[in-house]
Amino acid sequence: MRSTGGIAMCVSVLLTMAGSQTQYSDFHLAGDYLLGGLFSLHTETKSSPHLSYSAVPTCQAYKLKKASYSHLRAMRFAVEQINNSSTLLPGVSLGYEMVDVCYLTNFIHPILYFLANKHSVVQLHNNYTHYQPRVLAVIGPDSSQAVVIAAQVLSLFLVPQISYTATTNELSDRKRFPTAFQTISSMEQQIVAMQLLLKEFRWNWINILYSDDDYGRQNLKLLRARVVIVLSLELILPFFFQEAVRQNVTDLVWIATEAWATEPALYNITDLWRLGTILGVAVKEFSIPGLDDFRVSLAEGANEQASDQTTCNQECDQCLRAAQDAEHSMRAQGERTDFSVYSSVYIVAHALHRLLGCNTTGCHKRMVYPWQLVPEVKRVNFSLLNERINFRERGTIPNSFEIIQWKWDQPNNPFQKIASYSRNKKLLFTIQNISWHTPNNTVPISVCSQQCEYGQRRKPVTVSSCCFECIDCEEGTFLNNNDLYNCQPCPADQWSNARSQKCYPRLLKYLEWQEGIAVVLLLFSVLGLVATVVISVIFAIHLHTPVVKSAGGRMCFLMLASLIIGFINVPVYMGIPTEFKCMCRQIVYTLCFTVCISCLTVRSFQIISIFKMAARLPKAYSYWMKYNGQYIFITVILALKVTIVVTNVIIHPSIPVPLVLEDDPSTVELQCNKSFKLSLLMNNSLDTFLSILCFYFSYIGKELPKNYNEAKYITLCMTCYAVSEIAIFLAMSVYRGMLVTICDVIGVVINLLGISIGYFGPKCYLIFFHPERNTAAYFQSVIQSYTMRQD
C-alpha cells in the first residue's frame, strides 16, 4: 500500500458534455469524456468536523499531503497527453473531476458521487447491466483500508477500479473483487524483497514494529520472520521517530516499507540521521518525460486558480500555494508512484480505445456501461515508456520495487537506489558502497547468535529457535545437516572426533606381524621349536641311556611332541584374529601344556614312589608298575582337560568381537571372545592344580639322589608358569585388548621354553658334556650312596 501520497483518484467517462451545474470536485476540466480523480490532498491532524454530502472540511483542520499534488499532476499530465494524441482515442477528448477525500475521512462521499446518475441519485436495482453511473472506472483510493471498502461497493455496480499504490493482497481475490486491479505489486512481492535484503546482509535477529491496522497486520503475517522492520503507514511515524530522536536511539538499521520509504516529511525530521541507516523497499522510479516541466507550469499558475471557489472545496487559498512550496520536496521524492498514476490513466484509455473500436481515423462513440469496460481492462497489453503494462491472473502488474537508502548528505537526491528487485526474485545491487553508521563502514551485525562452526549443534537459549548457543558435538557423535540441533551417535563400528560432521571407520588394532614384539616372540618360538626338535632327536638316539630313562623314558616324547605343537601354534596370536585362530588359541596351547605338566607331575610322583613308596607300600607300587599307572594318570588328566575345554568353548564361543578401548575410542581391537578372563581362568584351573602338585612332589624328592632329583628343574618350570599366569591376570585387571594378547603369547612362549630348555636342557648337557655320568654303573653308585646315608 502507498500511504505517503494519500491520494484516491477516480476516472469517470461521461458520454455527454459536462453541464454547468456546481461541481463537487476540487479540480475539473471539460471534455468529451470526463475523468474523475479522488486525492487525499490533506490528512486529519485533529478531530474532524461532521461531514455532510454537501460540505467538506476546511484545510485548517488538515495537514497538506505534498505527494498527493505530485500524483494529481501526473494524472492531469496523462490526460493532456492522451487528448493531444492522434493514435489513442483519436477524436475523443477526456475531462476529469478530482475530489479531496482527506485520506480516510471523506472517501465514501466521492464514491457515492461517482456512482450517482446525472440527477445525483444512486439507484438500487437487482440488475445493473443498463445502469449508467457518473463514472465508468475508478482509480484509487490509495490506502489499503479505503481501497478494500471502496472495492466492495464498486464491485456491486461492476465498476472497474484501479489502485496505483495500495499493495493489499485482498484485491487479488477475483471472486470477491472481480473489478479491482492494481498497478503496483502486491504485499507479497514487497515482503520477498525484504527477505532477500535480510538474507543479503545475514540479518536474522530483528525488532518488528507494526501499526495495528490492516496494512501492518497483513505485512506482518506475510513476513513471518524476525527482522528490524517498521510495518506502518506514515501518518503516525513522525511522532514515533521524533520520540526516538529525543530518547537518543542511535546506530540502528531501519528498514522501511513502501508506505514510507520515500516520505519527505519523515526525511525532514530534525536530527533523524542520528537514528542510523535507513533502508527501504520503494516503488521503482520511472522518468516521465515532460512531467517536471508540467509541474513547474502548474505551480506558477497555482495562485491564479486558488481564487476560484467553484473549483476548490477548501475554504482558503493556502491549498494550492502549499503545492507551489512543496515543489522541491516532490522533486526530491522522485517520480516513483507518479508512473503508477500515469499508467492507470493510460490503462483506462486503452481499454476504452478497444471498447469504442477506435482506429487511426476515429472512434465509434456509443453508450458504454461500466461492466463492458472490465474485460477490456483485463486484456490491456501495451508498452508505456519501455515498460510492458498488462495484468496477470491476480489482477496486478509484475513486481516494480527497488531497495533505496536515505542519504543525509544529498538533499537533492535523498532516496538513492542501491539495488533492484528482479522478476526472478533476486536482488541486483547497483552500488556496493552503502553508508553504514558503523566503525570503518562495516555491515552491521544483527544476529542473536553467530553462525555455528562445523560440527557444532545449536542449543536454543530462548523460546525462539532463532537464538541459540553453539555446542561442540562430542566424540562419537556427528552433526547431520538435516538436524542442526542434535548430534547423532556414530554407528557401533565407526567413530568421530569432537566437532565432526561425519563418522569414519574405527581403526582396527591387532598384533601385527611386523611389530617388534611380534618379531621377537616369533624368533623365540622358532628357536624353541628348533631346540625341541633337536632335543627329540638327541633323546631318540640316547633313548636307552640312564639319563633319558631317569627323565621319563618314552614319556618324554609325549612331552616333546606337545611342546612342538605348542611352538607351532604361536603364530596364531599374530595378525587379524579369525574364528579359526581364536579356536586354536583357546584349545591347542592349553591341551599341550596340560600334557607336559601332567607328565612332569607323574614323573615326580614315580621317583618318590621308587625311593620311598616301594618299601612302604610294595603292593601298591607293584600295581602302579603293572598297569602303567603313569599313562592312566595322564589319560585321565587329559580327558578331564578336554571336558573343561569343550565346556569352555560352548560357554565362551571363540568368535572375534570388537573391543572399544576407553582410553582411545577411535580404535577397536579384536578379542577372541567377550569373556576372555573367565575363559582363561577355566582353561588354567587344572594346570594350576597340577603345577602345585608337581611342585609339591618335587619338594618332597629334594633329598633323592641328584641323578633323580628333578626338584630344581621342575621348580624352574613351575616358576615360569606361575610368573606368566600372574602377569596375565594382572594385565587383564588393568588393561584390555591387544596388551592382554601380548602378555598371553609371552606367557605361552615362556612356559614352552621353560619346559623345553629348563627341563630337557640339563639332560642334554649331561649327555654331551658328562658322558661318564650317563652310565648304569654311575647311577648304581649314586643309589648305593643314598641308601647308605638313609641307613
Side-chain angles (χ1 to χ4, degrees), residues 620-660:
Y621 177 74
S622 63
Y623 277 110
W624 175 269
M625 297 300 297
K626 180 179 180 180
Y627 296 103
N628 294 317
Q630 66 271 24
Y631 292 106
I632 295 175
F633 177 81
I634 294 173
T635 302
V636 172
I637 294 298
L638 187 59
L640 181 60
K641 182 68 172 186
V642 170
T643 302
I644 294 175
V645 170
V646 171
T647 303
N648 193 15
V649 170
I650 295 174
I651 297 175
H652 306 110
S654 300
I655 300 175
V657 292
L659 178 65
V660 179

Coordinates of all heavy atoms in Angstrom, one line a residue, residues 620-660:
A620 N 51.0 -101.6 46.4 CA 50.5 -100.5 45.6 C 51.5 -100.1 44.5 O 51.1 -99.8 43.4 CB 50.3 -99.3 46.5
Y621 N 52.8 -100.2 44.9 CA 53.7 -99.9 43.9 C 53.7 -100.9 42.7 O 53.9 -100.5 41.6 CB 55.1 -99.8 44.5 CG 56.2 -99.5 43.6 CD1 56.4 -98.2 43.0 CD2 57.1 -100.5 43.2 CE1 57.4 -98.0 42.1 CE2 58.1 -100.3 42.3 CZ 58.3 -99.0 41.7 OH 59.3 -98.7 40.8
S622 N 53.5 -102.2 43.1 CA 53.5 -103.2 42.1 C 52.4 -103.0 41.1 O 52.5 -103.2 39.9 CB 53.5 -104.6 42.7 OG 52.3 -104.8 43.5
Y623 N 51.2 -102.7 41.7 CA 50.0 -102.4 40.8 C 50.3 -101.2 39.9 O 49.9 -101.1 38.7 CB 48.8 -102.1 41.7 CG 48.1 -103.4 42.1 CD1 48.1 -103.8 43.4 CD2 47.4 -104.2 41.2 CE1 47.5 -104.9 43.8 CE2 46.8 -105.3 41.6 CZ 46.8 -105.7 42.9 OH 46.2 -106.9 43.3
W624 N 50.9 -100.2 40.4 CA 51.2 -99.0 39.6 C 52.1 -99.3 38.5 O 51.9 -98.8 37.4 CB 51.9 -97.9 40.6 CG 52.4 -96.7 39.9 CD1 53.6 -96.5 39.3 CD2 51.6 -95.5 39.6 NE1 53.7 -95.3 38.7 CE2 52.5 -94.6 38.9 CE3 50.3 -95.1 39.9 CZ2 52.1 -93.4 38.5 CZ3 50.0 -93.8 39.5 CH2 50.8 -93.0 38.8
M625 N 53.1 -100.1 38.7 CA 54.0 -100.5 37.7 C 53.4 -101.5 36.7 O 53.7 -101.4 35.5 CB 55.3 -101.1 38.3 CG 56.1 -100.1 39.2 SD 56.6 -98.7 38.2 CE 57.7 -99.4 37.0
K626 N 52.6 -102.4 37.2 CA 52.0 -103.5 36.4 C 51.0 -102.9 35.4 O 51.0 -103.3 34.2 CB 51.3 -104.5 37.3 CG 50.6 -105.6 36.5 CD 50.0 -106.6 37.5 CE 49.3 -107.7 36.7 NZ 48.7 -108.7 37.6
Y627 N 50.2 -101.9 35.8 CA 49.2 -101.4 34.9 C 49.5 -100.0 34.3 O 48.6 -99.3 33.9 CB 47.8 -101.3 35.7 CG 47.3 -102.6 36.1 CD1 47.4 -103.0 37.5 CD2 46.7 -103.5 35.2 CE1 46.9 -104.3 37.9 CE2 46.2 -104.7 35.6 CZ 46.3 -105.1 36.9 OH 45.8 -106.3 37.3
N628 N 50.9 -99.7 34.3 CA 51.3 -98.4 33.8 C 50.5 -97.3 34.3 O 49.8 -96.5 33.6 CB 51.2 -98.4 32.2 CG 52.2 -99.4 31.6 OD1 53.3 -99.5 32.0 ND2 51.7 -100.2 30.6
G629 N 50.6 -97.1 35.6 CA 49.8 -96.1 36.3 C 50.0 -94.7 35.8 O 49.2 -93.8 35.8
Q630 N 51.3 -94.5 35.3 CA 51.6 -93.1 34.8 C 50.8 -92.7 33.6 O 50.3 -91.6 33.5 CB 53.1 -93.0 34.6 CG 53.6 -93.8 33.4 CD 54.1 -95.2 33.9 OE1 53.6 -95.7 34.9 NE2 55.0 -95.8 33.1
Y631 N 50.6 -93.7 32.7 CA 49.8 -93.4 31.5 C 48.3 -93.3 31.8 O 47.6 -92.5 31.1 CB 50.1 -94.4 30.4 CG 51.5 -94.4 29.9 CD1 52.4 -95.4 30.3 CD2 51.9 -93.3 29.1 CE1 53.7 -95.3 29.8 CE2 53.2 -93.3 28.6 CZ 54.1 -94.3 29.0 OH 55.4 -94.2 28.5
I632 N 47.9 -94.0 32.8 CA 46.5 -93.9 33.2 C 46.2 -92.5 33.7 O 45.2 -91.9 33.4 CB 46.1 -95.0 34.2 CG1 46.2 -96.4 33.5 CG2 44.7 -94.8 34.8 CD1 46.0 -97.5 34.5
F633 N 47.2 -92.1 34.6 CA 47.0 -90.8 35.2 C 47.0 -89.7 34.1 O 46.1 -88.8 34.1 CB 48.2 -90.5 36.1 CG 48.2 -89.2 36.7 CD1 47.4 -88.8 37.8 CD2 49.0 -88.2 36.2 CE1 47.4 -87.6 38.4 CE2 49.1 -86.9 36.8 CZ 48.2 -86.6 37.9
I634 N 47.9 -89.8 33.1 CA 48.0 -88.8 32.1 C 46.7 -88.8 31.2 O 46.1 -87.7 30.9 CB 49.2 -89.0 31.2 CG1 50.5 -88.8 32.0 CG2 49.1 -88.1 29.9 CD1 51.7 -89.2 31.2
T635 N 46.2 -90.0 31.0 CA 44.9 -90.1 30.2 C 43.7 -89.5 30.9 O 42.9 -88.8 30.3 CB 44.6 -91.6 29.9 OG1 45.8 -92.2 29.2 CG2 43.4 -91.8 29.0
V636 N 43.7 -89.8 32.2 CA 42.5 -89.2 33.0 C 42.6 -87.7 33.0 O 41.6 -87.0 32.8 CB 42.5 -89.8 34.4 CG1 41.5 -89.1 35.3 CG2 42.2 -91.3 34.4
I637 N 43.8 -87.2 33.2 CA 44.0 -85.7 33.3 C 43.7 -85.1 31.9 O 43.0 -84.1 31.8 CB 45.5 -85.4 33.7 CG1 45.7 -85.8 35.1 CG2 45.7 -83.9 33.5 CD1 44.9 -85.1 36.1
L638 N 44.1 -85.8 30.8 CA 43.8 -85.2 29.5 C 42.3 -85.3 29.2 O 41.8 -84.3 28.6 CB 44.6 -86.0 28.5 CG 44.6 -85.5 27.0 CD1 45.1 -84.1 27.0 CD2 45.4 -86.4 26.1
A639 N 41.7 -86.3 29.6 CA 40.2 -86.4 29.4 C 39.5 -85.3 30.2 O 38.5 -84.7 29.7 CB 39.7 -87.8 29.8
L640 N 39.9 -85.1 31.4 CA 39.3 -84.1 32.2 C 39.6 -82.7 31.6 O 38.7 -81.8 31.5 CB 39.9 -84.1 33.6 CG 39.4 -83.1 34.6 CD1 37.9 -83.2 34.8 CD2 40.1 -83.2 35.9
K641 N 40.8 -82.6 31.0 CA 41.1 -81.3 30.4 C 40.3 -81.0 29.1 O 39.8 -79.9 28.9 CB 42.6 -81.3 30.0 CG 43.1 -80.0 29.4 CD 43.0 -78.8 30.4 CE 43.7 -77.6 29.8 NZ 43.8 -76.5 30.7
V642 N 40.1 -82.1 28.3 CA 39.3 -82.0 27.1 C 37.8 -81.6 27.5 O 37.2 -80.7 26.9 CB 39.3 -83.3 26.3 CG1 38.2 -83.2 25.2 CG2 40.7 -83.5 25.7
T643 N 37.3 -82.2 28.6 CA 36.0 -81.8 29.0 C 35.9 -80.3 29.4 O 34.9 -79.6 29.1 CB 35.6 -82.7 30.2 OG1 35.7 -84.1 29.9 CG2 34.2 -82.4 30.7
I644 N 36.9 -79.9 30.1 CA 36.9 -78.5 30.5 C 37.0 -77.6 29.3 O 36.3 -76.5 29.2 CB 38.1 -78.2 31.5 CG1 37.9 -78.9 32.8 CG2 38.3 -76.7 31.7 CD1 39.1 -78.8 33.7
V645 N 37.8 -77.9 28.3 CA 38.0 -77.1 27.1 C 36.7 -77.0 26.3 O 36.3 -76.0 25.9 CB 39.2 -77.6 26.3 CG1 39.2 -76.9 24.9 CG2 40.5 -77.4 27.0
V646 N 36.1 -78.2 26.1 CA 34.8 -78.3 25.3 C 33.8 -77.4 26.0 O 33.0 -76.7 25.4 CB 34.4 -79.7 25.2 CG1 33.0 -79.8 24.5 CG2 35.4 -80.5 24.3
T647 N 33.7 -77.6 27.3 CA 32.7 -76.8 28.1 C 32.9 -75.3 27.9 O 32.0 -74.5 27.8 CB 32.7 -77.2 29.6 OG1 32.5 -78.6 29.7 CG2 31.6 -76.4 30.3
N648 N 34.2 -74.9 28.0 CA 34.6 -73.5 27.9 C 34.2 -73.0 26.5 O 33.8 -71.8 26.4 CB 36.1 -73.4 28.2 CG 36.5 -72.0 28.4 OD1 35.7 -71.1 28.6 ND2 37.8 -71.7 28.3
V649 N 34.5 -73.8 25.5 CA 34.2 -73.3 24.1 C 32.7 -73.1 24.0 O 32.2 -72.2 23.3 CB 34.7 -74.3 23.1 CG1 34.2 -74.0 21.7 CG2 36.2 -74.4 23.1
I650 N 31.9 -74.0 24.6 CA 30.4 -73.9 24.5 C 29.9 -72.6 25.2 O 29.1 -71.9 24.7 CB 29.8 -75.2 25.0 CG1 30.1 -76.4 24.1 CG2 28.2 -75.0 25.1 CD1 29.6 -77.7 24.7
I651 N 30.5 -72.4 26.4 CA 30.1 -71.3 27.2 C 30.6 -70.0 26.6 O 29.9 -69.0 26.6 CB 30.5 -71.5 28.7 CG1 29.8 -72.7 29.3 CG2 30.2 -70.2 29.5 CD1 30.3 -73.0 30.7
H652 N 31.9 -70.0 26.2 CA 32.5 -68.8 25.7 C 33.0 -69.1 24.3 O 34.1 -69.5 24.1 CB 33.7 -68.4 26.6 CG 33.3 -68.2 28.0 ND1 33.8 -69.1 29.0 CD2 32.6 -67.3 28.6 CE1 33.3 -68.7 30.2 NE2 32.6 -67.6 30.0
P653 N 32.1 -68.9 23.3 CA 32.5 -69.3 21.9 C 33.7 -68.4 21.4 O 33.9 -67.3 21.8 CB 31.2 -68.9 21.1 CG 30.1 -68.9 22.1 CD 30.7 -68.5 23.4
S654 N 34.5 -69.1 20.6 CA 35.7 -68.5 20.1 C 35.4 -67.7 18.8 O 35.8 -68.0 17.7 CB 36.8 -69.5 19.8 OG 37.1 -70.2 21.0
I655 N 34.7 -66.6 19.0 CA 34.3 -65.7 17.9 C 34.9 -64.3 18.2 O 34.8 -63.7 19.3 CB 32.8 -65.6 17.8 CG1 32.2 -66.9 17.6 CG2 32.4 -64.6 16.7 CD1 30.6 -66.9 17.6
P656 N 35.7 -63.8 17.2 CA 36.3 -62.4 17.4 C 35.2 -61.4 17.6 O 34.2 -61.3 16.9 CB 37.0 -62.2 16.1 CG 37.2 -63.6 15.5 CD 36.0 -64.4 15.9
V657 N 35.4 -60.6 18.7 CA 34.5 -59.5 18.9 C 35.3 -58.2 19.0 O 36.4 -58.2 19.5 CB 33.7 -59.7 20.3 CG1 32.8 -60.9 20.1 CG2 34.7 -60.0 21.4
P658 N 34.7 -57.1 18.5 CA 35.4 -55.8 18.6 C 35.4 -55.3 20.1 O 34.4 -55.3 20.8 CB 34.6 -54.9 17.7 CG 33.2 -55.5 17.6 CD 33.4 -57.0 17.8
L659 N 36.5 -54.8 20.5 CA 36.7 -54.2 21.8 C 37.1 -52.8 21.7 O 38.1 -52.5 21.2 CB 37.7 -55.0 22.6 CG 38.0 -54.5 24.0 CD1 36.8 -54.7 24.9 CD2 39.2 -55.3 24.6
V660 N 36.2 -51.9 22.2 CA 36.5 -50.4 22.1 C 37.2 -50.1 23.4 O 36.7 -50.3 24.5 CB 35.2 -49.6 22.0 CG1 35.5 -48.1 22.0 CG2 34.4 -50.0 20.8

